[in-house]
Amino acid sequence: MLTIYMVFCLACNGVEKSNPVYLVTGTNANDVELSKIKDLKTDFEKVLEAEIKIVNEGTVIPENTTVIVLGTPDSNTILAELISENNLELSKMTPGPRGGIWSKNTYANSDVIVIAGSDVQGLQYAIYDYSKEVLGVDPLEYWTGKTPVALKANDIYNFEPKTIAPPRVPNLTYFENDVDELANYRGELLKYDWESYTEMINSLVRLRYNSIQLFDMLGRPEFFIRPEYKALKPDYQIDIDYVEKMIDYAHEKGMKIAVDFALGYQIHPMDAEKADCWKTYKADWLQAWRYYFEHTPLAKTDIFILRPRHQVWDWEYESTCGESKIEVLNEVYAAFGELVDEYKPNSQKVLVCYSDGMEMWNEGFRPPTDWTVLWSDHGFGEFEHLPNTTDGYDFGTYMHAGYWLNHTVHNPYPEKVELVMKEMFQKYEADKYCLVNGQNFRPFLLNLVAYSEVCNNPDTFNADAFYKEWTEQYFTPKAAEHAVQSMKWLSEAQEGRKGYVEHLWEIREAVSYLSNAPIVRPGKSPVPFDYNRVIGDVQNVKRVKEVLGKSLSEAELGYELLKRNDNFYHSYILLPAQLYSDLIAFETELHNMALLKKQFETTKDIKYLNEAISLLPTAKNKLKIVFDHRSSGDIDDKWKNWYSIANRRQNNGFPTYEMLDAIEANLNKMTL
């Protein structure tokens, strides 16, 4: 029951005050509902000069106030009463799981706004959609810096009744992977900053991601085994209590926890030697999994993921004891599934057919039928393989908003998102689940939103319209046009699965050849220096340089229209094109030197070596530009350390002045 009574202002001192807003919760509201309603209160406070109160149903509320009733049919008896009197169409089946409504109703002879859901998830998306569309709150506000404008009291009624349909893909999971920069940029290496990590979760929930796969924060093997990371942080130690605190926070925000139950995490690592012979070490695998369930926060997992791979390192399972990997992994999935049923019955089990897992599927690998099967892209939004059959399994997709080969600079591809996802839905009914790898999150916002929208309603998702709408919410229409063109050129520059981090490897190949020294890889065999490795990169780098020039030009045109005074445009449009262009300019100089060195080796004419040596000052200057732009990074102090070399993910190394010194020493030696 909602009671409204008359209150008179006895001492207003002549100052007109905005009417309070009462957010009315249900008696049976759970913690997740209350968390969402608190978020709505915060959003209202950003746009209204009014007192915002959260009250329970049954509270006496003054007249001349704004009343918003929130909940589900099960949690709020006011909603149940409106439904029973045919004044509100809402049930568990209408609009359905994860669906919700906005409505304007009359209750107790007063006008009320209803924001409700068929279930708790439906309520939260009804709330967050209202915040975005009516209050103007950006779901990515923390990352974009876009704040909402002030509203008048009547503005919050400025909407038509709306039914928020359940999404096409019911399970949308964010994969927390390769997040070094997010962990490092505030200063403590490989320690997840609570503010940044929870703000990531907050944004993901508003974007309809309803689960998060924890990975890096469980202590991925690289962090405490690989020499690069041991040099970076020799005392690395996973904080298990902190992990549990993060799990609890995600649950409070309405997200399920997904975990790949691989066995290499520092939370409880198994020896790698035991991970390539199932028949000998089966008991060790099962014991390690039981330890997860019985002694770690992973007991709170809601969605259990397993890859048909080596269970310590993410590479192909190659048996050292003569096993058929398909037969082994059929057994593994059955055995692990039984453990899940024992410890967490009725939990969802997800097979991610990553890499060779897809070939195995097409060759007859089959887990028990209660596993959902995710088909994996090649890292850049497309597929190298397609399933011969879905064989009656629930099918979904594993997609990349960002990939390790382009980890530093995003590859915006809403066009691929539209084309590929719609095809997967139509041809393979792969709409039961979508797992999205967002790398270190911040650079990959555009693709993350695109996957969210296509999974919500593929029928209304159009890449060109999405590009326009997404950019115009942040920039003026004219600047947005340049932003879109810049991002399209940036994507074209990465054609063929080429990205910023891939070019770091190409640079190592060029340095190796120019210094007559192998590429040293910790824990792996050295790669001999070879001119053929370099020449294979030269033509593509020329193409990339030309395309990036167009991307950077468009980005600069838009920035000028904004009078060079927009932090997010600089951060998301201009800076990525600049950083990528810097690296390619440096690589181009190395290629010029390599071509001259090869001419010397072919002709024995010393002039080619001398000409190569003469390019070294230019190469050093271009490397300095790479360092300078990365160290200065964003003009927003909030992100000033994001691109610091010391904070970057340790994959494919990074060029140094010492490398150029080694090149100079070798070329001088060759002139003798």
Side-chain angles (χ1 to χ4, degrees):
M1 174 64 68
L2 180 67
T3 304
I4 300 175
Y5 72 98
M6 186 74 72
V7 170
F8 297 96
C9 182
L10 299 178
C12 291
N13 298 322
V15 177
E16 182 180 349
K17 295 184 179 180
S18 299
N19 293 332
V21 176
Y22 282 78
L23 308 179
V24 183
T25 69
T27 302
N28 297 319
N30 63 23
D31 290 343
V32 174
E33 286 185 61
L34 294 175
S35 171
K36 305 300 130 185
I37 294 167
K38 288 176 184 176
D39 287 347
L40 182 60
K41 178 179 185 290
T42 299
D43 292 347
F44 269 117
E45 289 170 341
K46 292 175 181 178
V47 299
L48 284 184
E49 288 292 335
E51 185 178 15
I52 315 295
K53 293 185 176 183
I54 297 175
V55 299
N56 199 282
E57 58 175 312
T59 301
V60 177
I61 296 176
E63 272 192 351
N64 299 321
T65 57
T66 298
V67 177
I68 303 177
V69 181
L70 300 122
T72 70
D74 291 336
S75 69
N76 195 316
T77 59
I78 297 173
L79 296 176
E81 187 175 338
L82 288 169
I83 293 165
S84 68
E85 295 174 353
N86 295 319
N87 292 323
L88 190 68
E89 188 174 2
L90 180 68
S91 69
K92 290 183 179 180
M93 300 306 296
T94 305
R98 291 188 75 196
I101 60 168
W102 305 342
S103 180
K104 299 173 187 176
N105 291 78
T106 300
Y107 184 81
N109 297 317
S110 296
D111 293 333
V112 298
I113 294 173
V114 171
I115 301 176
S118 290
D119 55 15
V120 175
Q121 285 196 359
L123 170 64
Q124 67 189 52
Y125 298 117
I127 286 175
Y128 290 141
D129 280 10
Y130 180 87
S131 284
K132 179 185 177 184
E133 296 176 29
V134 181
L135 304 184
V137 175
D138 182 9
L140 297 167
E141 179 180 329
Y142 181 82
W143 312 93
T144 65
K146 181 193 176 188
T147 55
V149 300
L151 299 179
K152 297 178 181 178
N154 286 338
D155 290 337
I156 67 175
Y157 293 92
N158 188 22
F159 67 90
E160 295 297 322
K162 180 178 181 180
T163 297
I164 299 161
R168 171 71 173 267
V169 178
N171 298 290
L172 183 60
T173 299
Y174 179 80
F175 183 12
E176 173 258 331
N177 177 53
D178 291 353
V179 295
D180 299 48
E181 288 84 350
L182 187 64
N184 295 345
Y185 85 101
R186 288 185 187 267
E188 190 171 353
L189 298 179
L190 302 180
K191 172 72 172 181
Y192 297 95
D193 172 66
W194 178 261
E195 176 184 313
S196 302
Y197 204 91
T198 55
E199 288 289 357
M200 180 179 74
I201 290 173
N202 295 344
S203 291
L204 287 167
V205 173
R206 288 176 183 260
L207 294 175
R208 283 184 165 78
Y209 286 82
N210 60 341
S211 50
I212 182 168
Q213 180 187 338
L214 304 184
F215 183 61
D216 280 24
M217 72 174 303
L218 302 179
R220 62 186 299 163
E222 289 93 329
F223 291 172
F224 61 97
I225 294 177
R226 286 193 171 162
E228 304 97 318
Y229 279 103
K230 292 179 76 172
L232 186 71
K233 191 174 177 65
D235 59 345
Y236 175 79
Q237 182 61 51
I238 186 71
D239 185 339
I240 294 177
D241 291 338
Y242 194 69
V243 170
E244 185 162 23
K245 181 181 177 184
M246 197 70 72
I247 289 173
D248 291 343
Y249 182 85
H251 277 151
E252 178 189 326
K253 301 304 291 187
M255 295 191 89
K256 291 183 177 180
I257 294 297
V259 175
D260 182 336
F261 263 55
L263 298 173
Y265 305 119
Q266 197 188 35
I267 202 167
H268 185 67
M270 186 177 78
D271 291 339
E273 304 83 63
K274 296 181 178 181
D276 50 18
C277 181
W278 164 253
K279 68 182 180 184
T280 300
Y281 296 108
K282 174 180 178 179
D284 295 272
W285 290 37
L286 295 174
Q287 181 181 13
W289 280 324
R290 286 189 180 276
Y291 187 93
Y292 282 168
F293 281 110
E294 295 175 3
H295 302 290
T296 76
L298 300 191
K300 296 183 177 182
T301 299
D302 305 294
I303 300 170
F304 294 86
I305 295 176
L306 207 64
R307 293 188 182 194
R309 311 270 285 161
H310 191 283
Q311 290 301 301
V312 171
W313 293 104
D314 186 19
W315 57 50
E316 182 178 353
Y317 182 85
E318 294 182 345
S319 176
T320 57
C321 50
E323 303 163 306
S324 158
K325 71 175 180 178
I326 288 180
E327 292 177 7
V328 163
L329 288 161
N330 281 337
E331 290 184 26
V332 167
Y333 275 77
F336 179 66
E338 289 174 3
L339 284 180
V340 174
D341 292 342
E342 175 184 344
Y343 285 96
K344 295 291 288 285
N346 302 315
S347 297
Q348 186 162 18
K349 291 170 278 193
V350 175
L351 156 65
V352 178
C353 279
Y354 185 66
S355 191
D356 61 306
M358 290 176 285
E359 298 172 30
M360 291 167 58
W361 173 269
N362 283 338
E363 292 169 2
F365 164 54
R366 293 292 184 274
T369 55
D370 59 348
W371 285 79
T372 300
V373 179
L374 304 192
W375 207 252
S376 302
D377 72 357
H378 65 17
F380 288 82
E382 297 175 308
F383 296 95
E384 288 184 336
H385 310 279
L386 288 169
N388 293 339
T389 175
T390 59
D391 207 14
Y393 283 76
D394 282 348
F395 245 69
T397 54
Y398 169 40
M399 310 304 294
H400 286 77
Y403 190 51
W404 74 269
L405 289 177
N406 77 311
H407 178 79
T408 304
V409 173
H410 69 147
N411 182 339
Y413 42 66
E415 299 94 341
K416 284 186 186 179
V417 173
E418 178 183 8
L419 179 66
V420 172
M421 295 302 285
K422 288 182 178 181
E423 182 178 22
M424 291 302 290
F425 295 159
Q426 292 164 3
K427 287 189 176 181
Y428 302 99
E429 296 184 351
D431 58 0
K432 309 304 184 295
Y433 201 110
C434 185
L435 173 66
V436 183
N437 189 329
Q439 295 288 291
N440 53 351
F441 187 74
R442 180 172 169 254
F444 303 101
L445 302 177
L446 181 87
N447 287 344
L448 285 169
V449 177
Y451 279 116
S452 168
E453 294 201 5
V454 78
C455 287
N456 180 48
N457 191 341
D459 294 336
T460 60
F461 184 80
N462 173 273
D464 289 335
F466 169 76
Y467 248 142
K468 178 179 171 64
E469 179 183 348
W470 197 85
T471 52
E472 287 187 359
Q473 71 181 308
Y474 299 113
F475 318 126
T476 65
K478 285 295 183 184
E481 289 180 13
H482 291 294
V484 170
Q485 289 306 311
S486 176
M487 286 191 284
K488 287 184 174 182
W489 287 120
L490 184 61
S491 179
E492 185 171 324
Q494 299 176 72
E495 183 183 343
R497 300 180 78 219
K498 295 288 185 179
Y500 189 99
V501 176
E502 175 70 0
H503 285 281
L504 293 175
W505 177 256
E506 294 179 1
I507 286 169
R508 293 181 72 182
E509 292 176 327
V511 169
S512 172
Y513 169 66
L514 286 166
S515 55
N516 283 15
I519 302 173
V520 177
R521 302 178 298 168
K524 297 182 180 180
S525 301
V527 178
F529 65 90
D530 184 353
Y531 174 74
N532 289 327
R533 295 181 184 277
V534 180
I535 195 61
D537 302 328
V538 169
Q539 288 304 315
N540 182 62
V541 168
K542 286 181 179 178
R543 182 194 67 83
V544 171
K545 183 178 181 181
E546 180 181 348
V547 175
L548 280 176
K550 297 175 183 177
S551 176
L552 185 56
S553 176
E554 290 286 352
E556 288 173 336
L557 287 170
Y559 197 43
E560 290 296 334
L561 288 174
L562 296 172
K563 303 186 186 304
R564 306 184 64 83
N565 188 32
D566 187 300
N567 285 3
F568 184 57
Y569 188 100
H570 177 275
S571 170
Y572 206 78
I573 307 300
L574 180 59
L575 188 57
Q578 182 67 67
L579 294 177
Y580 206 164
S581 297
D582 293 344
L583 193 72
I584 292 299
F586 174 67
E587 184 179 1
T588 298
E589 210 60 34
L590 295 181
H591 285 172
N592 292 338
M593 295 169 64
L595 293 170
L596 289 166
K597 177 175 181 277
K598 181 61 177 178
Q599 283 184 284
F600 165 75
E601 291 169 342
T602 302
T603 67
K604 306 304 180 185
D605 190 334
I606 198 69
K607 72 177 183 180
Y608 295 116
L609 268 187
N610 288 331
E611 192 174 343
I613 292 169
S614 73
L615 296 179
L616 274 165
T618 303
K620 289 182 178 180
N621 183 59
K622 290 186 176 179
L623 182 56
K624 182 178 184 300
I625 291 171
V626 170
F627 286 141
D628 287 348
H629 282 155
R630 287 198 60 139
S631 62
S632 60
D634 287 270
I635 55 178
D636 189 337
D637 285 343
K638 183 177 183 178
W639 308 108
K640 64 180 180 180
N641 292 320
W642 185 273
Y643 291 106
S644 168
I645 301 300
N647 290 339
R648 65 173 296 276
R649 177 152 178 75
Q650 301 296 304
N651 48 353
N652 280 358
F654 206 83
T656 65
Y657 292 119
E658 288 75 17
M659 291 178 179
L660 296 182
D661 291 341
I663 291 172
E664 184 172 18
N666 181 60
L667 295 182
N668 283 329
K669 179 181 178 182
M670 292 176 70
T671 64
L672 299 178

